């Protein structure tokens, strides 16, 4: 809840909420404006009225935490799989009285 409140308040204070295709989200306005991080010698200043650097905030507030959660859950599931698999092999060894697993 706190992550959502913090990102919402920061986004509101930086005026990042703008029309984004079919809804309102963190987006630059106008949609085709040149954001500050895209500036070079041809564009000395940003053309965004609102939502400057919105692409960076999209990643920081949404996509990066999303991918971190996906990677964490994937790692956790791999860990659970290996733990359960090792316990299964241990049970087979103790049931057969051997040191090597003999699965059929």
């Amino acid at each position: 809840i706190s992550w959502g409140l913090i990102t919402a308040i920061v986004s509101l204070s930086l005026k990042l909420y703008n029309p984004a295709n079919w809804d309102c989200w963190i987006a630059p306005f106008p949609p085709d404006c040149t954001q500050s991080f895209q500036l070079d010698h041809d564009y000395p200043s940003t053309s965004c009225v609102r939502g400057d650097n919105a692409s960076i905030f999209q990643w920081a507030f949404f996509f990066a935490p999303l991918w971190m959660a996906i990677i964490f859950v994937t790692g956790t599931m791999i860990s659970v799989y290996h733990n359960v698999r090792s316990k299964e092999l241990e049970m087979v060894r103790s049931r057969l009285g051997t040191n090597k697993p003999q699965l059929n």
Side-chain angles (χ1 to χ4, degrees):
I1 293 175
S2 60
W3 178 255
L5 284 174
I6 291 168
T7 58
I9 291 168
V10 170
S11 296
L12 281 173
S13 66
L14 294 175
K15 299 180 181 177
L16 294 174
Y17 290 119
N18 293 301
N21 295 330
W22 59 277
D23 65 348
C24 290
W25 197 47
I26 299 173
F29 185 80
D32 58 347
C33 70
T34 303
Q35 299 178 48
S36 294
F37 76 93
Q38 298 170 319
L39 294 178
D40 58 13
H41 299 294
D42 297 334
Y43 298 101
S45 64
T46 182
S47 60
C48 295
V49 176
R50 293 171 47 102
D52 188 27
N53 293 326
S55 300
I56 294 172
F57 286 102
Q58 284 176 345
W59 271 97
F61 291 167
F62 182 73
F63 292 115
L66 174 66
W67 277 105
M68 286 190 295
I70 290 170
I71 291 167
F72 174 77
V73 168
T74 302
T76 302
M77 292 306 296
I78 289 170
S79 175
V80 167
Y81 171 80
H82 285 295
N83 191 4
V84 169
R85 180 73 177 147
S86 70
K87 295 297 180 193
E88 285 179 342
L89 292 175
E90 189 178 309
M91 286 177 16
V92 168
R93 281 186 216 122
S94 68
R95 185 176 42 194
L96 296 175
T98 63
N99 290 334
K100 296 181 181 178
Q102 297 175 359
L103 298 175
N104 294 338

